[in-house]
Amino acid sequence: MFKIPFLSRNSSKSAPAVNNTAEQNTAMQDINSLSDLFGVMPSLAGPAVTPKTSMKVSIVFACVRLIAGAIAQMPVHIFERSDNGDKKRLANHNLASLFNLQPTAVWSAAAFWEYIVASMLLHGDGYAVLLRDRNGDIEEILPISPVGMNVVNNNGRLNYFFTLDGTARGFDQDDILHFPGFGFNGLKSMSVIQWGAFNSIGLELAMEQHSGEFFKSGSTQRVAVVKQGKWDETQKDSFRNAWVKAYGGVENAKFPLVLDNSTDVKQLSVSAKDSQLLESREFQITDIARAFGLPSFMVNQEQKSTSWGSGIGEIGLSFLRFTLGPHLNRFEQEINRKLFLNKPMFAEFIAANLMRLTLKDRNEAYRQAIGGSQGPGWMSIDEVRKLENLPEMGGRYALPYDPIANNQQMENES
């Protein structure tokens, strides 16, 4: 089977720079990617929608930041599964430090995962190349820009071609972590901004441009100055220049309008309120957030009610289940099939922080978990203390409470 050799790195060689996904200049072969890069595919509202222009829309920025930040704060634990199905965490596994601390010299793990998730949301796919030592062991995981990435199916195996350090490189699928988004077709996935929110983002960009022009002109409407009789060309130019000088810009909007009794002002356009600009922008916020799988209240859009729950714990659980869950599932499967296939080990994103309840709710849950007069517990006091970042006490505190065993022990002692 043909396999492209992996990239080896000399220890004295400096780490390659990874350009921003919206600004990297690379040769493009796919016509759709070429159109997105140069902004030649306008939306129905007019403005071109690309990853770079989309991130200038506050709601898109907020959605990408929220989802990427939530996944980036989850630790990736490496577990080993025993014959009876129990799992044991391998805290000292070399991949644990790469996924949770420093995947490569110039990237922290949090920045790495934010970059991968943002690439997946904006471009459809996130990529990282596995850099190995001479023994074939992974020593670095380098994120790669999706811009210019060329994925080819070569006899049933995917080959990845891109530019790294100014040099064209090729890798077999075993040396690339390909984190797909929704709609993966065997080569690439569907970008949220290209499919789910393309025209909505274009309309939001158009409304922002209209709002900017509205306030730049001093919040005044387009008008026509009508004079009885015929204008002299010199008078017309003089009046027009005086109007622009007096009312051009917000800083001049305070000056009063002075006309003679033979001149009238006619309004040519409706106001922002009459055109329902504000209502339209609120709808676009909801529509774009929907494409990212987020309720609009999670990006600070006020809502009177929500079906995602009433408490922070229920909302966090719904966010994890409906928004993050599909992404995490694809990410875990990609890591496990590339790194731990046919091995008793697996990687898992730990979402305990997102499911963490308030102190009152946690105390109630812990009280039931350690047991009591109603029945035996399924957690020990030491396990509860560990969850609260407290030191373990050992002894009987390391065992779950069992009222039957405790009563028998008290009878024997008596």
Side-chain angles (χ1 to χ4, degrees):
M1 180 69 68
F2 171 79
K3 181 177 179 179
I4 302 176
F6 59 80
L7 173 67
S8 61
R9 176 181 296 178
N10 193 319
S11 59
S12 62
K13 184 178 178 181
S14 60
V18 180
N19 294 332
N20 184 281
T21 58
E23 298 178 355
Q24 184 176 2
N25 294 321
T26 54
M28 305 290 291
Q29 297 183 6
D30 185 85
I31 186 62
N32 292 328
S33 300
L34 183 64
S35 300
D36 291 339
L37 180 63
F38 292 100
V40 296
M41 287 189 65
S43 61
L44 293 178
V49 177
T50 68
K52 185 175 182 180
T53 59
S54 297
M55 286 296 283
K56 294 181 179 180
V57 178
S58 61
I59 181 61
V60 176
F61 188 95
C63 291
V64 174
R65 177 193 57 78
L66 179 62
I67 297 175
I71 294 179
Q73 68 175 309
M74 296 183 188
V76 183
H77 289 175
I78 310 298
F79 295 96
E80 184 177 17
R81 184 180 287 107
S82 61
D83 295 335
N84 61 1
D86 294 338
K87 64 179 184 179
K88 177 184 177 182
R89 181 187 170 191
L90 304 178
N92 296 324
H93 198 281
N94 68 308
L95 289 176
S97 62
L98 293 178
F99 284 134
N100 297 291
L101 184 61
Q102 180 176 279
T104 188
V106 296
W107 288 76
S108 68
F112 169 85
W113 287 115
E114 287 179 339
Y115 185 88
I116 292 295
V117 177
S119 298
M120 182 265 294
L121 293 174
L122 297 175
H123 296 268
D125 303 87
Y127 304 95
V129 59
L130 303 174
L131 304 179
R132 307 175 187 268
D133 57 20
R134 295 183 179 277
N135 297 324
D137 297 327
I138 300 172
E139 61 178 1
E140 290 185 58
I141 305 177
L142 182 67
I144 300 298
S145 170
V147 178
M149 175 67 70
N150 186 22
V151 185
V152 178
N153 190 322
N154 185 11
N155 296 325
R157 295 186 66 84
L158 297 183
N159 298 151
Y160 297 81
F161 300 93
F162 53 92
T163 301
L164 185 65
D165 285 335
T167 304
R169 303 284 188 177
F171 289 85
D172 180 74
Q173 64 181 29
D174 288 345
D175 297 310
I176 295 290
L177 290 178
H178 182 170
F179 298 103
F182 173 76
F184 182 68
N185 63 0
L187 295 176
K188 292 188 176 183
S189 308
M190 301 171 67
S191 164
V192 176
I193 65 170
Q194 198 173 42
W195 294 90
F198 184 80
N199 287 313
S200 295
I201 295 174
L203 183 57
E204 180 68 17
L205 287 169
M207 288 190 290
E208 284 191 358
Q209 182 179 1
H210 173 74
S211 300
E213 293 177 351
F214 175 77
F215 287 102
K216 182 179 179 181
S217 63
S219 302
T220 58
Q221 307 304 314
R222 295 184 181 275
V223 297
V225 178
V226 182
K227 178 179 174 60
Q228 295 181 3
K230 186 177 180 180
W231 282 86
D232 181 80
E233 289 297 328
T234 303
Q235 293 178 340
K236 184 187 300 184
D237 293 339
S238 178
F239 182 85
R240 183 185 294 114
N241 293 334
W243 179 284
V244 172
K245 183 178 179 181
Y247 303 107
V250 178
E251 66 278 3
N252 293 328
K254 60 182 180 293
F255 291 102
L257 176 64
V258 179
L259 297 174
D260 57 35
N261 56 8
S262 63
T263 309
D264 191 14
V265 177
K266 301 294 184 181
Q267 182 175 316
L268 297 181
S269 63
V270 296
S271 65
K273 181 178 179 180
D274 294 335
S275 62
Q276 296 183 334
L277 178 63
L278 298 180
E279 292 81 356
S280 298
R281 297 199 65 177
E282 288 182 0
F283 174 79
Q284 292 309 313
I285 290 176
T286 303
D287 198 40
I288 294 173
R290 183 188 300 117
F292 282 94
L294 287 171
S296 55
F297 74 88
M298 293 198 72
V299 285
N300 298 328
Q301 179 72 359
E302 294 184 1
Q303 284 186 347
K304 295 182 180 179
S305 62
T306 173
S307 59
W308 278 48
S310 57
I312 186 69
E314 294 182 7
I315 292 176
L317 185 59
S318 297
F319 174 58
L320 174 63
R321 179 181 301 161
F322 300 117
T323 302
L324 302 183
H327 301 314
L328 296 177
N329 185 42
R330 291 191 299 267
F331 283 21
E332 288 175 353
Q333 290 186 2
E334 176 67 8
I335 293 174
N336 291 327
R337 77 186 189 95
K338 292 291 182 65
L339 304 180
F340 302 118
L341 189 64
N342 300 323
K343 295 181 180 179
M345 294 178 291
F346 64 95
E348 181 179 339
F349 284 84
I350 306 301
N353 287 339
L354 292 181
M355 301 167 56
R356 193 174 179 84
L357 305 176
T358 62
L359 179 60
K360 179 181 178 181
D361 294 332
R362 295 204 308 273
N363 287 338
E364 281 295 325
Y366 292 152
R367 187 175 293 110
Q368 296 182 18
I370 63 177
S373 59
Q374 301 298 324
W378 60 88
M379 290 182 67
S380 67
I381 294 179
D382 273 354
E383 288 175 328
V384 172
R385 291 176 63 85
K386 187 176 181 180
L387 291 176
E388 293 295 321
N389 296 318
L390 297 173
E392 300 179 5
M393 296 188 294
R396 62 189 180 92
Y397 299 104
L399 300 175
Y401 177 75
D402 187 347
I404 299 177
N406 284 10
N407 291 335
Q408 291 178 351
Q409 181 179 1
M410 293 177 60
E411 292 176 358
N412 293 335
E413 292 177 354
S414 61

